[in-house]
Amino acid sequence: MNPIIQTRNLNLFYGTFQALHDISIDIESKMITSIIGPSGCGKSTLLRVFNRMNDLLEDVKVEGGVFIDAKNIYEPGVDLVELRKKVGMVFQRPNPFPLSVAENVLFSVKIHRTAAFKEYGDILEQSLRAVDLWDILKDKLKTSALNLTLEQQQRLCIARLLPVKPDILLMDEPCSALDPIATAHIEELMDQLKVNYTIVIVTHNMQQAARVSDRSAYLYLGDLIEYDSTEKMFTIPKDRRTEEYLAGKFG
Amino acid sequence: MQKNFNGKLVKEWVIERCIYLSGIASIIFVGLIFIFLAKEGFSLFKTVSVSDFLLGQKWYPISTPAQFGILPLIVGSLYVTLGATIIAVPIGIASAVYIAEVAPVKTREILKSGIEVLAAIPSVVLGFIGMMTLVPWVKNTFHLPTGLTAFSGALMLAFMAMPTIVSIAEDALNAVPKRYKEAALALGATRWQAIWRVIFPAASSGILAAVMLGIGRVIGETMAVMMITGNAARIPNSLFEPVRTLTATVAAEMGETVRGSDHYFALFAIGIVLFIITFFINLIADLAVHRKLK
């Protein structure tokens, strides 16, 4: 076992409300881990701990340890820019910038100055190829990303993460704005990407978790109830609450 | 029952007509104003040629023979407007960015109401304050014979344009969906990079509209300019000389003209020039806003 993300006794508070209770979890490298649970259980909150996007909200307090590659990312003096280069994020609603396709893909390269101008063409092609957009978009690199279909936009959002060579891709319900066919395409893409990346996906769609993920974590009201290989959890859940949720008794 | 129904229909009809009339009234009034302006203004060109009017360098409306060249006035307006724009646009946009993206919530509320108050100060009051404080300051700082200069006017007008620019640009920045900023930060952008590379371009058409409306405010402003630019109708060599603007000329001389005289017509012709300038500025602002909606 080779955990890339580890949390130890993680507690998170929004003001006085405690959203996460004492969570200790090891997320394995080069696998897809899904976080499932009913709405408001803290799935997205937990995901946003891993790239410290919760920092944007006021009045958030994090206790306990969160380690990525054995380094505590909540220690004072952690470089958020480096952290977010390493841990990319895909959002629920596709959010390409209102710029051209090329500028979207090259955004991170430009702000981090990680490549020379003459490498831009290769980066563009590699990133778009990785999400199967190159053949469709190679002649439309200058068009606005907002003209793409929702599925293409979400693919572009994934492609946009790749030029800075992240290790981890966080996906916050990446398919909830997409139709079933587009969802199937994105799931296929995730399967290809897990060869090179560790993927953590939040989903409220249990079937999706069952289809794509290697391991699953079930959160309920901010508690980590069960964490196991997806196959085990979906066939013989250990906890009665997991079983009831998977059986659709509440959602 | 039948009668009641008819009554309702009549009421609907009356209300609809009233709304229609109020709507059409504004168009009719604008039309009438323009017709009057054109009728009076174009009468000048029976005696003075258009090129003598627009390009003539001498504005001596009451000498004999009278000369109606408004080039000095156009240059005066241009100096004051350009000066005010150069000062107000960067500061206005910067403070809009600060208010919309950087300031903590409390500071933001205070600043926004402060800007509204600034917009509410009557221009004559600002002009008076400018005359008492700004004019002597300009005179002493730059060692000029008089502080009543184009520069003073530009500075003062920058103050007046700023509230327009700040509040409209701030609205444009706020209208940019938060998810763009989130995406940029999640990619490791700093706050400044997110603002400069994503939010700012996304709001650019609204910001352009803000700038154009600010400029429109400056060109149309009369009172404060008349009080502090010195009102010398000659082509200035620099920003630090007295100038007279188109608006100030109309305001200052309208009371002394004889109705139906060439001087009187000339002032209306200046009105046409101003009308055309502001029309184009508003048109550009409008186009910018509509480009954004697409």
PDB file of all heavy atoms in Angstrom, chain B residues 126-158:
ATOM      1  N   LEU B 126     -18.643  71.182  -5.826  1.00  0.00           N
ATOM      2  CA  LEU B 126     -17.284  70.713  -6.116  1.00  0.00           C
ATOM      3  C   LEU B 126     -16.470  71.819  -6.779  1.00  0.00           C
ATOM      4  O   LEU B 126     -15.293  72.013  -6.475  1.00  0.00           O
ATOM      5  CB  LEU B 126     -17.341  69.490  -7.035  1.00  0.00           C
ATOM      6  CG  LEU B 126     -17.512  68.132  -6.364  1.00  0.00           C
ATOM      7  CD1 LEU B 126     -17.563  67.036  -7.413  1.00  0.00           C
ATOM      8  CD2 LEU B 126     -16.371  67.864  -5.395  1.00  0.00           C
ATOM      9  N   GLY B 127     -17.124  72.544  -7.689  1.00  0.00           N
ATOM     10  CA  GLY B 127     -16.441  73.638  -8.370  1.00  0.00           C
ATOM     11  C   GLY B 127     -15.975  74.694  -7.384  1.00  0.00           C
ATOM     12  O   GLY B 127     -14.850  75.194  -7.465  1.00  0.00           O
ATOM     13  N   PHE B 128     -16.847  75.004  -6.435  1.00  0.00           N
ATOM     14  CA  PHE B 128     -16.515  76.024  -5.439  1.00  0.00           C
ATOM     15  C   PHE B 128     -15.350  75.566  -4.564  1.00  0.00           C
ATOM     16  O   PHE B 128     -14.389  76.315  -4.328  1.00  0.00           O
ATOM     17  CB  PHE B 128     -17.772  76.303  -4.593  1.00  0.00           C
ATOM     18  CG  PHE B 128     -17.621  77.484  -3.702  1.00  0.00           C
ATOM     19  CD1 PHE B 128     -17.232  78.712  -4.203  1.00  0.00           C
ATOM     20  CD2 PHE B 128     -17.867  77.364  -2.341  1.00  0.00           C
ATOM     21  CE1 PHE B 128     -17.092  79.809  -3.375  1.00  0.00           C
ATOM     22  CE2 PHE B 128     -17.721  78.448  -1.504  1.00  0.00           C
ATOM     23  CZ  PHE B 128     -17.341  79.672  -2.021  1.00  0.00           C
ATOM     24  N   ILE B 129     -15.441  74.320  -4.110  1.00  0.00           N
ATOM     25  CA  ILE B 129     -14.347  73.771  -3.303  1.00  0.00           C
ATOM     26  C   ILE B 129     -13.056  73.792  -4.108  1.00  0.00           C
ATOM     27  O   ILE B 129     -11.989  74.175  -3.630  1.00  0.00           O
ATOM     28  CB  ILE B 129     -14.675  72.330  -2.847  1.00  0.00           C
ATOM     29  CG1 ILE B 129     -15.880  72.345  -1.911  1.00  0.00           C
ATOM     30  CG2 ILE B 129     -13.462  71.696  -2.157  1.00  0.00           C
ATOM     31  CD1 ILE B 129     -16.381  70.970  -1.536  1.00  0.00           C
ATOM     32  N   GLY B 130     -13.160  73.411  -5.403  1.00  0.00           N
ATOM     33  CA  GLY B 130     -11.992  73.398  -6.266  1.00  0.00           C
ATOM     34  C   GLY B 130     -11.381  74.788  -6.393  1.00  0.00           C
ATOM     35  O   GLY B 130     -10.162  74.965  -6.345  1.00  0.00           O
ATOM     36  N   MET B 131     -12.248  75.767  -6.537  1.00  0.00           N
ATOM     37  CA  MET B 131     -11.783  77.146  -6.695  1.00  0.00           C
ATOM     38  C   MET B 131     -11.013  77.605  -5.460  1.00  0.00           C
ATOM     39  O   MET B 131     -10.013  78.309  -5.558  1.00  0.00           O
ATOM     40  CB  MET B 131     -13.004  78.039  -6.897  1.00  0.00           C
ATOM     41  CG  MET B 131     -12.814  79.141  -7.885  1.00  0.00           C
ATOM     42  SD  MET B 131     -14.437  79.687  -8.414  1.00  0.00           S
ATOM     43  CE  MET B 131     -14.610  81.138  -7.434  1.00  0.00           C
ATOM     44  N   MET B 132     -11.511  77.186  -4.293  1.00  0.00           N
ATOM     45  CA  MET B 132     -10.916  77.661  -3.044  1.00  0.00           C
ATOM     46  C   MET B 132      -9.647  76.882  -2.673  1.00  0.00           C
ATOM     47  O   MET B 132      -8.769  77.417  -2.008  1.00  0.00           O
ATOM     48  CB  MET B 132     -11.939  77.508  -1.896  1.00  0.00           C
ATOM     49  CG  MET B 132     -13.107  78.452  -2.014  1.00  0.00           C
ATOM     50  SD  MET B 132     -12.497  80.149  -1.943  1.00  0.00           S
ATOM     51  CE  MET B 132     -13.331  80.864  -3.321  1.00  0.00           C
ATOM     52  N   THR B 133      -9.588  75.609  -3.039  1.00  0.00           N
ATOM     53  CA  THR B 133      -8.463  74.791  -2.568  1.00  0.00           C
ATOM     54  C   THR B 133      -7.522  74.385  -3.697  1.00  0.00           C
ATOM     55  O   THR B 133      -6.318  74.585  -3.626  1.00  0.00           O
ATOM     56  CB  THR B 133      -8.983  73.493  -1.910  1.00  0.00           C
ATOM     57  OG1 THR B 133      -9.756  72.790  -2.880  1.00  0.00           O
ATOM     58  CG2 THR B 133      -9.833  73.794  -0.696  1.00  0.00           C
ATOM     59  N   LEU B 134      -8.098  73.848  -4.763  1.00  0.00           N
ATOM     60  CA  LEU B 134      -7.293  73.274  -5.835  1.00  0.00           C
ATOM     61  C   LEU B 134      -6.557  74.351  -6.621  1.00  0.00           C
ATOM     62  O   LEU B 134      -5.365  74.229  -6.924  1.00  0.00           O
ATOM     63  CB  LEU B 134      -8.222  72.470  -6.754  1.00  0.00           C
ATOM     64  CG  LEU B 134      -7.563  71.553  -7.752  1.00  0.00           C
ATOM     65  CD1 LEU B 134      -6.797  70.476  -7.005  1.00  0.00           C
ATOM     66  CD2 LEU B 134      -8.624  70.911  -8.641  1.00  0.00           C
ATOM     67  N   VAL B 135      -7.288  75.420  -6.951  1.00  0.00           N
ATOM     68  CA  VAL B 135      -6.722  76.460  -7.813  1.00  0.00           C
ATOM     69  C   VAL B 135      -5.480  77.105  -7.183  1.00  0.00           C
ATOM     70  O   VAL B 135      -4.431  77.173  -7.834  1.00  0.00           O
ATOM     71  CB  VAL B 135      -7.813  77.487  -8.197  1.00  0.00           C
ATOM     72  CG1 VAL B 135      -7.196  78.706  -8.853  1.00  0.00           C
ATOM     73  CG2 VAL B 135      -8.828  76.835  -9.127  1.00  0.00           C
ATOM     74  N   PRO B 136      -5.550  77.546  -5.917  1.00  0.00           N
ATOM     75  CA  PRO B 136      -4.327  78.089  -5.297  1.00  0.00           C
ATOM     76  C   PRO B 136      -3.210  77.048  -5.211  1.00  0.00           C
ATOM     77  O   PRO B 136      -2.028  77.372  -5.407  1.00  0.00           O
ATOM     78  CB  PRO B 136      -4.778  78.483  -3.891  1.00  0.00           C
ATOM     79  CG  PRO B 136      -6.254  78.454  -3.895  1.00  0.00           C
ATOM     80  CD  PRO B 136      -6.716  77.652  -5.043  1.00  0.00           C
ATOM     81  N   TRP B 137      -3.594  75.806  -4.964  1.00  0.00           N
ATOM     82  CA  TRP B 137      -2.580  74.756  -4.845  1.00  0.00           C
ATOM     83  C   TRP B 137      -1.843  74.568  -6.171  1.00  0.00           C
ATOM     84  O   TRP B 137      -0.606  74.496  -6.209  1.00  0.00           O
ATOM     85  CB  TRP B 137      -3.245  73.443  -4.423  1.00  0.00           C
ATOM     86  CG  TRP B 137      -2.283  72.291  -4.338  1.00  0.00           C
ATOM     87  CD1 TRP B 137      -1.411  72.047  -3.322  1.00  0.00           C
ATOM     88  CD2 TRP B 137      -2.077  71.268  -5.320  1.00  0.00           C
ATOM     89  NE1 TRP B 137      -0.675  70.929  -3.601  1.00  0.00           N
ATOM     90  CE2 TRP B 137      -1.054  70.425  -4.813  1.00  0.00           C
ATOM     91  CE3 TRP B 137      -2.643  70.981  -6.562  1.00  0.00           C
ATOM     92  CZ2 TRP B 137      -0.600  69.309  -5.528  1.00  0.00           C
ATOM     93  CZ3 TRP B 137      -2.184  69.875  -7.257  1.00  0.00           C
ATOM     94  CH2 TRP B 137      -1.178  69.053  -6.749  1.00  0.00           C
ATOM     95  N   VAL B 138      -2.598  74.534  -7.277  1.00  0.00           N
ATOM     96  CA  VAL B 138      -1.979  74.382  -8.596  1.00  0.00           C
ATOM     97  C   VAL B 138      -1.071  75.578  -8.883  1.00  0.00           C
ATOM     98  O   VAL B 138       0.055  75.435  -9.365  1.00  0.00           O
ATOM     99  CB  VAL B 138      -3.060  74.239  -9.691  1.00  0.00           C
ATOM    100  CG1 VAL B 138      -2.445  74.365 -11.081  1.00  0.00           C
ATOM    101  CG2 VAL B 138      -3.784  72.909  -9.564  1.00  0.00           C
ATOM    102  N   LYS B 139      -1.555  76.770  -8.554  1.00  0.00           N
ATOM    103  CA  LYS B 139      -0.786  77.994  -8.810  1.00  0.00           C
ATOM    104  C   LYS B 139       0.559  77.939  -8.077  1.00  0.00           C
ATOM    105  O   LYS B 139       1.618  78.191  -8.663  1.00  0.00           O
ATOM    106  CB  LYS B 139      -1.595  79.200  -8.318  1.00  0.00           C
ATOM    107  CG  LYS B 139      -0.902  80.536  -8.492  1.00  0.00           C
ATOM    108  CD  LYS B 139      -1.879  81.657  -8.134  1.00  0.00           C
ATOM    109  CE  LYS B 139      -1.333  83.020  -8.475  1.00  0.00           C
ATOM    110  NZ  LYS B 139      -0.459  83.591  -7.481  1.00  0.00           N
ATOM    111  N   ASN B 140       0.525  77.567  -6.789  1.00  0.00           N
ATOM    112  CA  ASN B 140       1.747  77.582  -5.994  1.00  0.00           C
ATOM    113  C   ASN B 140       2.674  76.421  -6.322  1.00  0.00           C
ATOM    114  O   ASN B 140       3.888  76.581  -6.391  1.00  0.00           O
ATOM    115  CB  ASN B 140       1.406  77.554  -4.500  1.00  0.00           C
ATOM    116  CG  ASN B 140       0.657  78.814  -4.104  1.00  0.00           C
ATOM    117  OD1 ASN B 140       0.862  79.872  -4.694  1.00  0.00           O
ATOM    118  ND2 ASN B 140      -0.233  78.687  -3.134  1.00  0.00           N
ATOM    119  N   THR B 141       2.089  75.258  -6.533  1.00  0.00           N
ATOM    120  CA  THR B 141       2.916  74.075  -6.766  1.00  0.00           C
ATOM    121  C   THR B 141       3.691  74.182  -8.064  1.00  0.00           C
ATOM    122  O   THR B 141       4.868  73.830  -8.132  1.00  0.00           O
ATOM    123  CB  THR B 141       2.043  72.811  -6.801  1.00  0.00           C
ATOM    124  OG1 THR B 141       1.190  72.827  -5.664  1.00  0.00           O
ATOM    125  CG2 THR B 141       2.885  71.562  -6.784  1.00  0.00           C
ATOM    126  N   PHE B 142       3.005  74.660  -9.118  1.00  0.00           N
ATOM    127  CA  PHE B 142       3.669  74.688 -10.419  1.00  0.00           C
ATOM    128  C   PHE B 142       4.192  76.083 -10.774  1.00  0.00           C
ATOM    129  O   PHE B 142       4.605  76.330 -11.893  1.00  0.00           O
ATOM    130  CB  PHE B 142       2.715  74.171 -11.500  1.00  0.00           C
ATOM    131  CG  PHE B 142       2.264  72.759 -11.262  1.00  0.00           C
ATOM    132  CD1 PHE B 142       1.033  72.495 -10.678  1.00  0.00           C
ATOM    133  CD2 PHE B 142       3.085  71.685 -11.595  1.00  0.00           C
ATOM    134  CE1 PHE B 142       0.625  71.194 -10.445  1.00  0.00           C
ATOM    135  CE2 PHE B 142       2.679  70.380 -11.353  1.00  0.00           C
ATOM    136  CZ  PHE B 142       1.452  70.130 -10.770  1.00  0.00           C
ATOM    137  N   HIS B 143       4.136  76.996  -9.801  1.00  0.00           N
ATOM    138  CA  HIS B 143       4.622  78.365 -10.003  1.00  0.00           C
ATOM    139  C   HIS B 143       4.042  78.999 -11.257  1.00  0.00           C
ATOM    140  O   HIS B 143       4.758  79.410 -12.165  1.00  0.00           O
ATOM    141  CB  HIS B 143       6.151  78.394 -10.059  1.00  0.00           C
ATOM    142  CG  HIS B 143       6.764  77.696  -8.889  1.00  0.00           C
ATOM    143  ND1 HIS B 143       6.671  78.194  -7.597  1.00  0.00           N
ATOM    144  CD2 HIS B 143       7.440  76.522  -8.797  1.00  0.00           C
ATOM    145  CE1 HIS B 143       7.271  77.358  -6.767  1.00  0.00           C
ATOM    146  NE2 HIS B 143       7.734  76.328  -7.469  1.00  0.00           N
ATOM    147  N   LEU B 144       2.717  79.029 -11.331  1.00  0.00           N
ATOM    148  CA  LEU B 144       2.041  79.573 -12.500  1.00  0.00           C
ATOM    149  C   LEU B 144       1.472  80.950 -12.172  1.00  0.00           C
ATOM    150  O   LEU B 144       1.210  81.255 -11.009  1.00  0.00           O
ATOM    151  CB  LEU B 144       0.887  78.642 -12.904  1.00  0.00           C
ATOM    152  CG  LEU B 144       1.265  77.205 -13.244  1.00  0.00           C
ATOM    153  CD1 LEU B 144       0.016  76.365 -13.397  1.00  0.00           C
ATOM    154  CD2 LEU B 144       2.116  77.157 -14.508  1.00  0.00           C
ATOM    155  N   PRO B 145       1.295  81.770 -13.199  1.00  0.00           N
ATOM    156  CA  PRO B 145       0.673  83.083 -12.961  1.00  0.00           C
ATOM    157  C   PRO B 145      -0.764  82.939 -12.464  1.00  0.00           C
ATOM    158  O   PRO B 145      -1.259  83.793 -11.734  1.00  0.00           O
ATOM    159  CB  PRO B 145       0.721  83.774 -14.326  1.00  0.00           C
ATOM    160  CG  PRO B 145       1.000  82.693 -15.314  1.00  0.00           C
ATOM    161  CD  PRO B 145       1.711  81.602 -14.599  1.00  0.00           C
ATOM    162  N   THR B 146      -1.450  81.886 -12.881  1.00  0.00           N
ATOM    163  CA  THR B 146      -2.803  81.667 -12.384  1.00  0.00           C
ATOM    164  C   THR B 146      -3.039  80.176 -12.199  1.00  0.00           C
ATOM    165  O   THR B 146      -2.472  79.360 -12.914  1.00  0.00           O
ATOM    166  CB  THR B 146      -3.859  82.237 -13.361  1.00  0.00           C
ATOM    167  OG1 THR B 146      -5.147  81.762 -12.927  1.00  0.00           O
ATOM    168  CG2 THR B 146      -3.634  81.779 -14.772  1.00  0.00           C
ATOM    169  N   GLY B 147      -3.868  79.841 -11.225  1.00  0.00           N
ATOM    170  CA  GLY B 147      -4.188  78.433 -11.002  1.00  0.00           C
ATOM    171  C   GLY B 147      -5.400  77.987 -11.792  1.00  0.00           C
ATOM    172  O   GLY B 147      -5.776  76.826 -11.779  1.00  0.00           O
ATOM    173  N   LEU B 148      -6.019  78.960 -12.493  1.00  0.00           N
ATOM    174  CA  LEU B 148      -7.202  78.609 -13.289  1.00  0.00           C
ATOM    175  C   LEU B 148      -6.741  78.026 -14.620  1.00  0.00           C
ATOM    176  O   LEU B 148      -6.609  78.729 -15.612  1.00  0.00           O
ATOM    177  CB  LEU B 148      -8.056  79.859 -13.525  1.00  0.00           C
ATOM    178  CG  LEU B 148      -8.614  80.523 -12.263  1.00  0.00           C
ATOM    179  CD1 LEU B 148      -9.133  81.920 -12.564  1.00  0.00           C
ATOM    180  CD2 LEU B 148      -9.709  79.675 -11.651  1.00  0.00           C
ATOM    181  N   THR B 149      -6.460  76.737 -14.637  1.00  0.00           N
ATOM    182  CA  THR B 149      -5.876  76.117 -15.829  1.00  0.00           C
ATOM    183  C   THR B 149      -6.651  74.871 -16.228  1.00  0.00           C
ATOM    184  O   THR B 149      -7.493  74.375 -15.482  1.00  0.00           O
ATOM    185  CB  THR B 149      -4.427  75.676 -15.552  1.00  0.00           C
ATOM    186  OG1 THR B 149      -4.474  74.699 -14.518  1.00  0.00           O
ATOM    187  CG2 THR B 149      -3.549  76.829 -15.132  1.00  0.00           C
ATOM    188  N   ALA B 150      -6.302  74.373 -17.414  1.00  0.00           N
ATOM    189  CA  ALA B 150      -6.903  73.119 -17.882  1.00  0.00           C
ATOM    190  C   ALA B 150      -6.595  71.998 -16.905  1.00  0.00           C
ATOM    191  O   ALA B 150      -7.415  71.118 -16.655  1.00  0.00           O
ATOM    192  CB  ALA B 150      -6.356  72.768 -19.270  1.00  0.00           C
ATOM    193  N   PHE B 151      -5.394  72.036 -16.320  1.00  0.00           N
ATOM    194  CA  PHE B 151      -4.996  70.986 -15.396  1.00  0.00           C
ATOM    195  C   PHE B 151      -5.916  70.949 -14.170  1.00  0.00           C
ATOM    196  O   PHE B 151      -6.361  69.881 -13.740  1.00  0.00           O
ATOM    197  CB  PHE B 151      -3.541  71.199 -14.976  1.00  0.00           C
ATOM    198  CG  PHE B 151      -3.049  70.172 -14.007  1.00  0.00           C
ATOM    199  CD1 PHE B 151      -2.794  68.877 -14.416  1.00  0.00           C
ATOM    200  CD2 PHE B 151      -2.860  70.504 -12.667  1.00  0.00           C
ATOM    201  CE1 PHE B 151      -2.346  67.922 -13.513  1.00  0.00           C
ATOM    202  CE2 PHE B 151      -2.422  69.553 -11.765  1.00  0.00           C
ATOM    203  CZ  PHE B 151      -2.157  68.260 -12.180  1.00  0.00           C
ATOM    204  N   SER B 152      -6.211  72.160 -13.620  1.00  0.00           N
ATOM    205  CA  SER B 152      -7.113  72.210 -12.465  1.00  0.00           C
ATOM    206  C   SER B 152      -8.465  71.623 -12.825  1.00  0.00           C
ATOM    207  O   SER B 152      -9.056  70.849 -12.061  1.00  0.00           O
ATOM    208  CB  SER B 152      -7.313  73.649 -11.994  1.00  0.00           C
ATOM    209  OG  SER B 152      -6.117  74.354 -12.058  1.00  0.00           O
ATOM    210  N   GLY B 153      -8.949  72.005 -14.020  1.00  0.00           N
ATOM    211  CA  GLY B 153     -10.244  71.494 -14.461  1.00  0.00           C
ATOM    212  C   GLY B 153     -10.213  69.986 -14.608  1.00  0.00           C
ATOM    213  O   GLY B 153     -11.131  69.288 -14.169  1.00  0.00           O
ATOM    214  N   ALA B 154      -9.116  69.469 -15.188  1.00  0.00           N
ATOM    215  CA  ALA B 154      -9.006  68.026 -15.390  1.00  0.00           C
ATOM    216  C   ALA B 154      -9.021  67.299 -14.057  1.00  0.00           C
ATOM    217  O   ALA B 154      -9.700  66.281 -13.882  1.00  0.00           O
ATOM    218  CB  ALA B 154      -7.730  67.706 -16.166  1.00  0.00           C
ATOM    219  N   LEU B 155      -8.286  67.842 -13.101  1.00  0.00           N
ATOM    220  CA  LEU B 155      -8.203  67.229 -11.768  1.00  0.00           C
ATOM    221  C   LEU B 155      -9.586  67.176 -11.126  1.00  0.00           C
ATOM    222  O   LEU B 155     -10.018  66.166 -10.578  1.00  0.00           O
ATOM    223  CB  LEU B 155      -7.246  68.056 -10.915  1.00  0.00           C
ATOM    224  CG  LEU B 155      -6.371  67.314  -9.914  1.00  0.00           C
ATOM    225  CD1 LEU B 155      -5.597  66.213 -10.597  1.00  0.00           C
ATOM    226  CD2 LEU B 155      -5.405  68.305  -9.268  1.00  0.00           C
ATOM    227  N   MET B 156     -10.273  68.308 -11.218  1.00  0.00           N
ATOM    228  CA  MET B 156     -11.596  68.416 -10.599  1.00  0.00           C
ATOM    229  C   MET B 156     -12.585  67.460 -11.283  1.00  0.00           C
ATOM    230  O   MET B 156     -13.356  66.766 -10.630  1.00  0.00           O
ATOM    231  CB  MET B 156     -12.065  69.857 -10.791  1.00  0.00           C
ATOM    232  CG  MET B 156     -13.082  70.307  -9.782  1.00  0.00           C
ATOM    233  SD  MET B 156     -12.338  70.416  -8.161  1.00  0.00           S
ATOM    234  CE  MET B 156     -13.442  69.378  -7.257  1.00  0.00           C
ATOM    235  N   LEU B 157     -12.521  67.426 -12.616  1.00  0.00           N
ATOM    236  CA  LEU B 157     -13.455  66.572 -13.347  1.00  0.00           C
ATOM    237  C   LEU B 157     -13.143  65.100 -13.124  1.00  0.00           C
ATOM    238  O   LEU B 157     -14.039  64.257 -13.155  1.00  0.00           O
ATOM    239  CB  LEU B 157     -13.410  66.882 -14.840  1.00  0.00           C
ATOM    240  CG  LEU B 157     -14.136  68.154 -15.245  1.00  0.00           C
ATOM    241  CD1 LEU B 157     -14.173  68.276 -16.750  1.00  0.00           C
ATOM    242  CD2 LEU B 157     -15.539  68.162 -14.695  1.00  0.00           C
ATOM    243  N   ALA B 158     -11.879  64.800 -12.873  1.00  0.00           N
ATOM    244  CA  ALA B 158     -11.528  63.411 -12.580  1.00  0.00           C
ATOM    245  C   ALA B 158     -12.306  62.956 -11.343  1.00  0.00           C
ATOM    246  O   ALA B 158     -12.811  61.840 -11.291  1.00  0.00           O
ATOM    247  CB  ALA B 158     -10.024  63.284 -12.353  1.00  0.00           C
TER     248      ALA B 158
END
